[in-house]
Amino acid sequence: MTQSGHWPLKFAVMHNRSSGVVGFKRRPQGRAPRKAAITMKTILVPTEDNSAMRSALDTALLLARRCDSYIEGFALRWLVADFAAFDPTGGTPLETDRLAAAQVETQARQIFESFMQGHNVPRSTAKIEALSFGWLDDAPQGEDFVGSYGRVFDVIVLSRPGANETFVHNRALYSGLFESGRPVLLAPPAPPPQIATNVLIAWNRSTEQARAISLAMPLLQKAKRVTVLTVIGGTEVPGPSAEQLIHYLQRNGIAAEPMSVGLDGKNTGQTILAAAQSTGCDLLVKGAYTQSRLRQMIFGGATRHVLENAEIPVLLAT
């Protein structure tokens, strides 16, 4: 205490719930408490010329408007050497393949930039830190670039895999999931009018699901409603209960509510999507491949079912 009778530093009161002891945390004078700014400010969109690209761009823009984000596109192209390997007759000259790949990049850029300009999204400059877009010229060929370059973005947006998608697209999805360390936002065939206002968490106690939730925190903290789903009898691993997860979310300012449903003759993936439909959610948060990817490719699994059938955006992480 100073001679004037005032403390030289401000203190914030803390209360320990378990002991009931009141303590004090010293804070520098004249500074307000700092609130962590958790956002999704950078969005990567691998761009192709296909029928699903419009939905991926719409979904990315919904997220960008919600988080005031920067969206960057690049041309997702096959690796010429890989493409040539699919022609065992050697009938297509390598130079022709290179010209075709260059044309793919030109078309992808036109699709991406026309979409952004048509929705009045400004091009990024050094002075713009809000909603904006940019394009990466001369991105390396091949799907592996999605996983490596995606490491410096908050989220990667790709359309749902399907029979009409190229092998490059489907491999790019797995590259993003397994190599980037970032979440993949899976765009449905038709985007919803809004995103991440009503969120469903498919809790199966796993490490993958815990990681997906951690990466989704910026969206969970903005959501109006968050539901933690337990599938009774569904695929799960040993770990914390849904109630314990809800307590964790509440401590982070998220008023989550529980929901439990039985399989009723459906598999886990079907049950998750049915619950998503019944709650009217506009985002599903799911850990990917709690079981091995190979096992799910052979025998099926919840992740595979969601990847192939989700009609809402899905935030996936491994």
Side-chain angles (χ1 to χ4, degrees), residues 68-268:
D68 221 15
S69 309
Y70 165 73
I71 311 172
E72 183 168 297
F74 74 90
L76 179 60
R77 301 175 294 168
W78 64 84
L79 188 63
V80 169
D82 288 346
F83 187 72
F86 279 84
D87 183 10
T89 66
T92 304
L94 193 61
E95 184 59 28
T96 301
D97 288 343
R98 291 196 181 99
L99 291 174
Q103 181 63 27
V104 166
E105 180 174 15
T106 300
Q107 291 173 338
R109 180 169 187 167
Q110 182 178 6
I111 290 168
F112 180 85
E113 293 191 341
S114 295
F115 175 89
M116 294 300 163
Q117 292 164 357
H119 288 80
N120 299 315
V121 180
R123 189 178 297 273
S124 178
T125 68
K127 296 181 180 180
I128 296 180
E129 296 182 357
L131 174 66
S132 59
F133 80 90
W135 178 262
L136 179 67
D137 286 314
D138 300 320
Q141 299 172 353
E143 70 282 350
D144 291 346
F145 183 65
V146 175
S148 61
Y149 191 51
R151 295 166 194 162
V152 291
F153 288 80
D154 292 313
V155 62
I156 304 166
V157 178
L158 285 159
S159 60
R160 199 179 77 182
N164 296 327
E165 303 302 333
T166 64
F167 75 94
V168 176
H169 175 92
N170 294 338
R171 285 164 57 175
L173 174 61
Y174 293 120
S175 176
L177 275 175
F178 290 100
E179 302 299 331
S180 71
R182 303 296 189 176
V184 170
L185 180 62
L186 194 69
Q194 55 191 14
I195 191 170
T197 63
N198 181 359
V199 183
L200 182 70
I201 296 172
W203 182 241
N204 64 358
R205 306 172 185 247
S206 69
T207 302
E208 294 80 6
Q209 185 61 54
R211 179 167 175 76
I213 292 168
S214 177
L215 293 169
M217 287 299 284
L219 301 179
L220 296 175
Q221 291 175 335
K222 286 176 172 284
K224 295 179 180 178
R225 180 185 179 190
V226 176
T227 304
V228 175
L229 173 68
T230 299
V231 178
I232 301 172
T235 304
E236 64 177 24
V237 298
S241 66
E243 182 181 8
Q244 290 169 319
L245 171 63
I246 289 172
H247 289 162
Y248 160 76
L249 293 172
Q250 289 173 341
R251 292 186 185 102
N252 282 275
I254 300 165
E257 56 190 68
M259 177 182 183
S260 296
V261 295
L263 291 173
D264 295 328
K266 299 186 287 290
N267 62 39
T268 303

